[in-house]
Amino acid sequence: MGLFILSRRERPDPLQPAWLAAHRRHGFREPLRLTAGDWRLDLFGALNGLGPQLVQRDNGDFAACTGVFFYRGARGTAGLESLLDDFDGERFPWSGSRGHFAVIVCKAGRMFLATDALGGYKVYHDGGRTLLSSSFTALRANLAQATPDAQGAWEYAWNGATYGTRTFIREIRQLRRGSLLTLGPQAEISAEYRLPAADAPQHASIDEAAEDYAARLRALFRVYAAGGGRFRTALSGGYDSRLMLALLLDAGLDPQVYVYGRAGDDDVRVAKAIAAGEGLALEHVDKSQTAPPPSAGHTERAWVRFDGWKNDGLFDSGVDAEDRLLRVPGDVSVLNGSAGEVFRNFFYLPDRRYRARDVVWSFYSRHDPQPMTGAFDAEAYDAAMSADLLAAIGTTAPDDQALTRADIEALYPLHRARYWTARDVGLNQRFGPLLFPYLEPAVFSGTEREPIAWKDYGRLEAKIIERVHPALARYPSAYGFVPADGPDLRYRLKMQLTFLRPTWLRRYSYRLQQRGPLPPRPVWLGDAALSAAGLDPALPHMRALFVPERLRDAEVFNRVCTMELALAGQPLPG
């Protein structure tokens, strides 16, 4: 939970006055500062009022964390106590840890920083690693100038995240994966977590696989339950939230359940049917009915609470920043079903080998040349994305070499989830404790090696739900069929239309959808709203890379405006 800033003591104080004042205005309390050796640490509690997680000893040793940390089955400060006993400065005990976090340890006068095994909890740093933080805007506030990273800017604009070590600002980098850093004269990466493929069992049948993954998830939820507190989860018409509800009930917990959407949406209809059948109280949240009118103050609040950028862009009505805070009062932990696609055929590719370039064409080519400037080189963009994919799975194969299907499947948790999905990890945990069970390597390890036929149509995940809570597998889904019965012919035929599209054709799908007249933009993306936030509506910083007037996709335009704000500085206070 909260955020941290680590800085070399020779640097100027990283708590820039304007940055700190804005964070105070919008919910962050005063930080706790500790120093050891050449480094200082600033720890902020969460927006819901929970303070920093820290244990200190009389000899000067301490351990602190942001995010959510479990060690040896103990949560928060209890886990930190055990870690401080065990940590030897050479290795981080990833196998005994759960959650998504940054842990800072000081032992015998030496400081260390470790992130979770996946690297889902993002840590940003400057080029010399003299400033490291879970806050992107803290890095930006300490830059004398900021310049766009062209590849990172295109990745964020078209795909909602940046990948590898890039951000969309050249002077700000991110750690690639789970890492242990020794904080001496410099911050040196002394170890990185690698997913041990050899640990993945070979299952003889889909039922055997379902039994294994159900057991892993049950073990994780026993850890959650032992940590105490109350739990809350969203429920929708899909599989991921239903499996989380099944696991909470199986663990003997009484979760608070809510659903997002309009009254007639399939998600709402299915969630209400499940809640009624299982005797659960269900909160229905229709954001379209609760949205406040936009104002300049909303932009600064979003900038603070969402750390300068989020997947769909920073500019909105303001309801998201309020709703996320309402989800996590007091000791409530919220579960997030992101990355449940580890149990499914996420890329919708038939069961054969593909090059990294084919995956880029199939999934990461959501770009349109019309609103791009001459600086954009599609071949160079695809090559950089391919290189990121290969680095994510630790292979040096050329991007024109066919990968195994296990490698392709591993790209979902180790690339898509690690960067796009995980941006929400650190953001949500600024508000309070949030848990992401499907992003745990102990859960998803081995899913890349399961037969694609088991993953198609959600068959494997439906079997897992059935193992954990048979009754929940008998309710209809938003897909038009009951999970326990499997997909009907209509759904199979519909999905085949996607499976059979060749990757070279998928490359052009998005740009074909972007033809036609420019649609009207939401009021919060209008010139008046941008000006009120302190932006020049002409977006001068972004003009070297985009022609904003030609952007039809409001979400892409939102991201371009978000980058303009990050490059210009922080928004005007409202």
Side-chain angles (χ1 to χ4, degrees):
M1 299 176 290
L3 66 97
F4 79 89
I5 303 173
L6 270 167
S7 57
R8 289 272 304 176
R9 293 172 71 177
E10 66 198 26
R11 290 181 56 105
D13 193 320
L15 298 179
Q16 296 295 315
W19 180 93
L20 186 58
H23 281 65
R24 287 171 178 151
R25 279 193 293 273
H26 295 286
F28 282 102
R29 298 181 181 178
E30 292 300 307
L32 175 65
R33 173 165 284 184
L34 299 98
T35 58
D38 296 324
W39 292 82
R40 60 192 160 210
L41 168 66
D42 291 292
L43 275 175
F44 291 77
L47 284 161
N48 71 350
L50 292 178
Q53 298 175 80
L54 170 70
V55 297
Q56 294 177 283
R57 295 188 175 163
D58 293 341
N59 63 359
D61 290 354
F62 67 81
C65 72
T66 58
V68 176
F69 175 64
F70 296 85
Y71 179 59
R72 290 191 172 187
R75 179 172 178 171
T77 53
L80 290 173
E81 288 280 8
S82 295
L83 176 69
L84 198 51
D85 289 336
D86 295 348
F87 185 63
D88 63 4
E90 301 296 325
R91 298 171 299 277
F92 188 79
W94 281 298
S95 62
S97 303
R98 298 292 181 268
H100 296 91
F101 53 81
V103 168
I104 302 95
V105 176
C106 177
K107 200 161 184 179
R110 300 174 66 203
M111 283 187 72
F112 306 85
L113 167 67
T115 61
D116 61 88
L118 181 66
Y121 187 87
K122 290 300 163 197
V123 172
Y124 303 95
H125 60 85
D126 62 353
R129 293 204 201 106
T130 64
L131 180 65
L132 304 100
S133 179
S134 57
S135 170
F136 178 85
T137 61
L139 267 294
R140 172 63 186 94
N142 281 274
L143 292 177
Q145 64 176 14
T147 52
D149 180 300
Q151 178 71 21
W154 289 323
E155 288 176 1
Y156 175 54
W158 299 110
N159 290 290
T162 60
Y163 299 90
T165 61
R166 289 188 186 88
T167 74
F168 52 77
I169 292 180
R170 187 177 301 164
E171 295 82 4
I172 303 175
R173 303 288 89 180
Q174 62 180 339
L175 296 180
R176 182 182 290 279
R177 56 171 58 88
S179 304
L180 172 65
L181 289 85
T182 301
L183 305 179
Q186 295 179 317
E188 300 286 352
I189 297 177
S190 51
E192 290 185 313
Y193 180 82
R194 305 277 178 165
L195 190 67
D199 289 349
Q202 293 290 335
H203 297 112
S205 69
I206 189 172
D207 292 303
E208 183 182 304
E211 195 66 47
D212 180 20
Y213 295 117
R216 298 187 202 186
L217 286 161
R218 280 174 159 148
L220 178 62
F221 274 67
R222 286 196 295 271
V223 172
Y224 290 167
R230 297 174 294 160
F231 295 85
R232 173 174 286 165
T233 184
L235 184 59
S236 70
Y239 284 13
D240 302 336
S241 63
R242 190 178 310 202
L243 178 53
M244 284 197 302
L245 176 61
L247 289 158
L248 288 166
L249 296 175
D250 179 74
L253 300 168
D254 181 22
Q256 302 169 13
V257 184
Y258 61 96
V259 62
Y260 288 124
R262 299 175 185 270
D265 290 351
D266 285 343
D267 282 343
V268 176
R269 174 181 55 79
V270 172
K272 285 183 176 180
I274 293 172
E278 297 300 310
L280 300 170
L282 178 72
E283 180 187 1
H284 176 203
V285 180
D286 184 351
K287 290 185 180 181
S288 68
Q289 301 300 315
T290 58
S295 70
H298 287 154
T299 302
E300 186 189 66
R301 182 180 60 187
W303 178 84
V304 167
R305 294 186 176 181
F306 296 123
D307 191 33
W309 67 279
K310 57 177 178 168
N311 297 123
D312 51 358
L314 199 64
F315 293 84
D316 60 19
S317 68
V319 68
D320 194 19
E322 287 302 298
D323 179 74
R324 295 204 199 195
L325 187 57
L326 292 172
R327 297 296 113 207
V328 284
D331 64 346
V332 172
S333 294
V334 177
L335 281 92
N336 187 300
S338 295
E341 291 92 345
V342 293
F343 301 118
R344 305 199 296 278
N345 182 355
F346 174 77
F347 293 115
Y348 293 110
L349 291 169
D351 189 9
R352 54 177 178 263
R353 295 164 68 98
Y354 296 90
R355 305 168 301 170
R357 186 71 59 100
D358 293 320
V359 179
V360 172
W361 288 354
S362 176
F363 195 78
Y364 292 102
S365 287
R366 294 187 76 258
H367 51 72
D368 180 6
Q370 291 296 319
M372 307 284 257
T373 68
F376 182 71
D377 180 334
E379 287 300 314
Y381 174 86
D382 288 351
M385 287 296 299
S386 295
D388 280 340
L389 291 173
L390 295 171
I393 56 175
T395 180
T396 57
D399 70 358
D400 60 351
Q401 178 178 313
L403 301 171
T404 68
R405 189 53 194 254
D407 283 337
I408 298 297
E409 292 301 294
L411 287 172
Y412 175 69
L414 300 183
H415 191 264
R416 166 71 174 185
R418 176 181 276 159
Y419 299 109
W420 189 91
T421 307
R423 174 57 181 169
D424 240 14
V425 171
L427 295 191
N428 278 321
Q429 290 177 347
R430 292 163 73 91
F431 292 85
L434 279 101
L435 305 170
F436 296 78
Y438 307 133
L439 283 172
E440 295 280 1
V443 168
F444 68 70
S445 176
T447 56
E448 74 281 0
R449 298 172 67 187
E450 306 299 355
I452 298 303
W454 296 358
K455 292 184 171 185
D456 284 343
Y457 315 117
R459 292 178 62 222
L460 175 58
E461 192 168 7
K463 291 276 189 183
I464 300 171
I465 296 170
E466 239 184 326
R467 291 297 185 284
V468 177
H469 198 296
L472 287 181
R474 300 299 314 171
Y475 290 94
S477 70
Y479 305 123
F481 58 86
V482 172
D485 295 341
D488 56 17
L489 180 60
R490 177 198 58 80
Y491 186 78
R492 288 173 179 268
L493 290 174
K494 175 185 174 184
M495 295 310 299
Q496 284 300 317
L497 294 175
T498 299
F499 290 148
L500 296 176
R501 272 190 304 144
T503 57
W504 65 264
L505 181 59
R506 297 186 194 195
R507 184 184 186 188
Y508 301 103
S509 298
Y510 177 80
R511 66 187 69 178
L512 292 174
Q513 297 166 12
Q514 297 305 303
R515 298 299 172 259
L518 189 73
R521 293 191 176 117
V523 63
W524 48 82
L525 292 176
D527 287 357
L530 299 179
S531 296
L535 282 187
D536 179 347
L539 308 181
H541 292 89
M542 287 283 96
R543 281 203 169 269
L545 304 176
F546 300 92
V547 183
E549 296 80 12
R550 297 180 186 169
L551 282 167
R552 294 185 74 256
D553 188 328
E555 196 167 279
V556 175
F557 184 74
N558 196 332
R559 295 180 192 130
V560 171
C561 293
T562 297
M563 290 188 283
E564 180 73 23
L565 180 58
L567 288 160
Q570 72 184 65
L572 294 174

